[in-house]
Amino acid sequence: MAMGFLVYAIKNSQVVIKKVVVILATQRVASIGIYLGMLQYTLLWIFPSYQAKVLLFGLVLWGIRIPYFVRIRESAVVSESVFMFCADLLGVFLNLEGADEAVKECLAIFGS
Amino acid sequence: MNTRSRQLRLKRQILFGSTASVVLIAFYLVGQRTNWLAASPIVCGGWRENHFIKGKTYKSLKQQGARPYFCIREIIRPYSKSMADIWGGVSIYDERGETYVETQFFVAEGFGKEKFTDEPGDWMIHHHKRFNQLGIERESRSQQIASWFDPMMDRRTAYELWRTMKIDVSPRSSGRQISWVRQVNEQFPELALLGFSAFFCFGVYKRLYGTASQMRIGQCELRESRSSENLLAELALLIMLLLGWSVFRWTDWLSHTPFQCSTYRSRQLSPVSLTRVCFHEVLATPSQYNQTTVLGASIHTPQQVLRADIQFYIADGKNKLGFKDEPGDWAFLSSKHFHPGTGLLMASTNKTVSSWFDAGVPSDVQLQLWTDVRDKLVPRLKARRVSIPRKLSAVLESFAALAGASILAIMTFIKLVDLMVSDMDDN
């Protein structure tokens, strides 16, 4: 089943990509992206030790809101999404090795 | 521009973006997560029965009937006359696969006024990566491990490795010999800046000479005004990037807030001078593996501000070998000299310099400072504390390819959506 779908997808890659983009470029998907973005922002404060993972989740959200705004030619929102994507990406890289260290640093500063 | 030529341009951009993105991701994965692009060996060593044999490559040792134990692949820092050390990249082979270690070998013999000679087999591993049999990374750790704690091989082979480094490699190491992957990673920030500048210049050239003939006369004025607005925005961005980069590299303005400062008075100099020493970063915490610590510090004198990564050797005899370091023993791993008034960079070096060669402070201050670090500061160091500029440099060096690929991917995704959406609108 999965293999069959994979073969179909490769053969008709352009059609598949177009179908996916058509689905993504709708207001409903953009709205989901925006509301989940609010949730992600809150999660950052609730679970600071999982910052890298929450930011990774955020990368996807910034990605899925882009198609709709490209479609309606709202270039400022597209630019904002790209900027936030880059900022989240930097956050992920900074936190990959630093998250555990940050916790240890806090313990060292405020005492255990 | 008509729809058809716009679509053609978008298709070209998508093709370029996706190809560049895939190439960068492949470069990151192969360069950082495997040993497939490792530098070819400088010298390898192994045992045939009880005889230690050296060869040019891993294969040549095998052909001689020996079992290879190590290959020296890189000279990360050549032999330093002011420290008597050499930093090498060494592949160590055992039954589980390969371990690649970046190691500082201490090879002093009759060094300085004291005619100091290092213990045979004395080295410090700074970073190690373990690979499986296929050469794919299993583990990567930045931790200082002294050879007296764990040389990662048997003592006999460890001594031969140290001797090979001292006798064969040190005298012939006039400069660095590093893999091209490390070279590219180290130069990535400069390459990115250069690429952006080239991209900007190409854009300016295209605006001035490339598109005018393709425009219809009615659109010309509107396009020109929009184009000059874009040009100004891009020029502002380029200037901001260049300014930020210059501040980052050539000034002391973004220094990390110190967590401890002390002022020392020297009795050796007249008139009596004050030296202020501040600690900004903890780059390596002391542990039972190494009994050393690396601190980011600044030394303020009336003449200059010296900012350096200082490795303090503070072994107290409570270790496997009962080894004790000399009071006042430290090394500058890298240092930058800034003007005390303006904070502008005057000189910088990546060479290691022993405190016995040049401590940067009078000798009575040297002893006081070392004692303070060992007795007062080190017991309180529980975790690393790294400045944002250093984190950014580390990210740029380690993840530049991956970050570049991700940014290209999102830009290509936007172009793809644009193309598909314009198709939908046309239909």
Side-chain angles (χ1 to χ4, degrees):
Chain A
M1 172 82 176
M3 197 64 189
F5 178 75
L6 197 69
V7 172
Y8 169 80
I10 291 168
K11 272 186 180 171
N12 302 285
S13 55
Q14 205 169 350
V15 180
V16 171
I17 291 170
K18 201 166 184 173
K19 276 185 182 167
V20 173
V21 169
V22 167
I23 294 166
L24 287 177
T26 52
Q27 195 174 15
R28 186 174 290 175
V29 174
S31 300
I32 291 171
I34 290 166
Y35 289 123
L36 286 179
M38 294 174 191
L39 178 70
Q40 179 231 352
Y41 190 74
T42 318
L43 288 177
L44 275 178
W45 300 105
I46 300 174
F47 303 109
S49 49
Y50 293 96
Q51 212 173 26
K53 282 168 190 151
V54 176
L55 287 173
L56 263 176
F57 171 58
L59 286 180
V60 180
L61 297 180
W62 291 116
I64 64 166
R65 59 188 274 185
I66 285 175
Y68 174 68
F69 291 107
V70 171
R71 188 179 164 191
I72 61 166
R73 309 262 173 242
E74 199 66 68
S75 59
V77 181
V78 176
S79 301
E80 183 213 15
S81 302
V82 173
F83 176 81
M84 295 308 288
F85 179 90
C86 296
D88 276 11
L89 196 67
L90 184 65
V92 171
F93 290 143
L94 283 177
N95 278 286
L96 276 181
E97 290 173 6
D100 290 341
E101 293 296 339
V103 175
K104 280 188 200 165
E105 194 171 339
C106 286
L107 280 175
I109 293 167
F110 299 111
S112 50
Chain B
M1 201 184 291
N2 62 27
T3 317
R4 190 163 164 69
S5 65
R6 187 167 169 275
Q7 282 185 346
L8 265 175
R9 190 169 57 93
L10 281 174
K11 277 180 185 169
R12 258 203 324 265
Q13 285 171 342
I14 291 164
L15 188 69
F16 170 78
S18 46
T19 312
S21 199
V22 168
V23 167
L24 281 173
I25 287 175
F27 175 74
Y28 168 76
L29 290 176
V30 175
Q32 298 276 335
R33 304 289 170 201
T34 70
N35 64 1
W36 303 342
L37 297 177
S40 35
I42 298 165
V43 61
C44 293
W47 293 93
R48 188 174 60 199
E49 292 167 1
N50 273 331
H51 298 286
F52 181 73
I53 293 174
K54 288 176 210 165
K56 182 77 188 147
T57 60
Y58 185 92
K59 263 188 187 170
S60 69
L61 276 182
K62 280 251 178 195
Q63 281 163 0
Q64 292 176 56
R67 195 200 140 188
Y69 274 79
F70 65 80
C71 282
I72 299 168
R73 291 183 183 275
E74 290 183 290
I75 298 170
I76 299 165
R77 289 183 184 200
Y79 177 76
S80 160
K81 284 178 185 162
S82 46
M83 176 72 192
D85 72 338
I86 178 168
W87 295 52
V90 183
S91 294
I92 298 168
Y93 302 100
D94 58 19
E95 302 78 32
R96 289 173 299 168
E98 181 188 335
T99 306
Y100 193 74
V101 292
E102 291 173 17
T103 308
Q104 180 183 15
F105 293 88
F106 301 102
V107 292
E109 192 167 330
F111 177 69
K113 284 178 195 164
E114 310 283 325
K115 298 288 171 204
F116 180 73
T117 300
D118 275 312
E119 286 288 318
D122 189 8
W123 73 59
M124 179 76 74
I125 291 169
H126 286 258
H127 184 89
H128 71 267
K129 276 183 178 183
R130 289 187 199 280
F131 299 96
N132 66 12
Q133 301 287 359
L134 296 171
I136 296 164
E137 185 190 298
R138 282 191 295 135
E139 185 197 351
S140 172
R141 284 187 88 172
S142 284
Q143 185 180 36
Q144 296 195 332
I145 304 171
S147 57
W148 49 256
F149 183 82
D150 179 13
M152 296 201 177
M153 56 179 78
D154 61 274
R155 295 273 168 203
R156 194 173 59 145
T157 317
Y159 171 72
E160 291 296 343
L161 168 59
W162 179 83
R163 209 165 155 267
T164 308
M165 206 66 184
K166 181 180 179 178
I167 293 169
D168 295 340
V169 182
S170 291
R172 277 182 261 147
S173 67
S174 53
R176 300 178 83 199
Q177 286 181 41
I178 55 174
S179 68
W180 68 269
V181 175
R182 189 188 293 274
Q183 187 86 46
V184 169
N185 281 332
E186 283 183 2
Q187 302 298 324
F188 235 116
E190 281 85 357
L191 286 174
L193 201 69
L194 209 69
F196 187 79
S197 306
F199 192 67
F200 175 75
C201 293
F202 177 69
V204 172
Y205 175 81
K206 241 179 94 177
R207 277 191 188 91
L208 291 176
Y209 304 106
T211 51
S213 61
Q214 294 163 10
M215 282 185 235
R216 274 178 284 174
I217 296 166
Q219 288 178 325
C220 217
E221 270 181 34
L222 180 66
R223 295 272 304 166
E224 261 178 16
S225 72
R226 280 195 66 186
S227 157
S228 63
E229 267 174 32
N230 285 345
L231 194 70
L232 277 177
E234 283 169 25
L235 185 66
L237 186 65
L238 184 71
I239 290 171
M240 270 170 61
L241 269 175
L242 285 173
L243 280 177
W245 181 249
S246 308
V247 168
F248 187 64
R249 290 301 290 258
W250 294 298
T251 73
D252 191 28
W253 303 344
L254 295 176
S255 64
H256 199 51
T257 315
F259 59 88
Q260 181 173 312
C261 283
S262 311
T263 305
Y264 297 93
R265 184 187 294 269
S266 172
R267 293 192 195 112
Q268 289 178 345
L269 300 174
S270 59
V272 174
S273 75
L274 296 177
T275 306
R276 188 172 162 78
V277 180
C278 291
F279 294 103
H280 304 255
E281 295 174 277
V282 182
L283 302 170
T285 45
S287 68
Q288 51 169 337
Y289 312 123
N290 49 48
Q291 294 204 319
T292 67
T293 180
V294 183
L295 302 171
S298 59
I299 299 173
H300 304 253
T301 60
Q303 292 79 32
Q304 64 174 0
V305 175
L306 171 68
R307 197 168 279 282
D309 299 342
I310 309 178
Q311 181 161 35
F312 288 92
Y313 303 104
I314 46 167
D316 55 1
K318 291 171 194 163
N319 51 55
K320 268 186 182 176
L321 299 182
F323 184 73
K324 208 172 172 182
D325 279 311
E326 285 288 311
D329 192 6
W330 76 63
F332 294 107
L333 299 184
S334 65
S335 59
K336 286 182 171 181
H337 297 258
F338 295 96
H339 188 272
T342 58
L344 296 177
L345 182 69
M346 297 195 296
S348 71
T349 178
N350 271 333
K351 283 188 179 160
T352 40
V353 178
S354 165
S355 59
W356 306 121
F357 187 86
D358 178 13
V361 290
S363 57
D364 56 340
V365 174
Q366 176 187 354
L367 200 64
Q368 249 179 305
L369 174 60
W370 184 87
T371 312
D372 281 356
V373 167
R374 188 192 61 180
D375 299 340
K376 294 178 187 164
L377 187 62
V378 162
R380 291 196 289 120
L381 299 179
K382 297 282 184 287
R384 290 173 70 205
R385 183 194 288 256
V386 184
S387 68
I388 293 292
R390 195 185 294 270
K391 275 185 182 173
L392 278 175
S393 323
V395 165
L396 282 173
E397 279 180 20
S398 311
F399 298 110
L402 198 58
S406 310
I407 292 166
L408 268 172
I410 192 83
M411 300 307 283
T412 311
F413 177 61
I414 292 171
K415 300 285 176 197
L416 180 77
V417 172
D418 204 358
L419 180 71
M420 297 296 169
V421 166
S422 67
D423 266 6
M424 272 163 55
D425 293 345
D426 289 347
N427 295 335

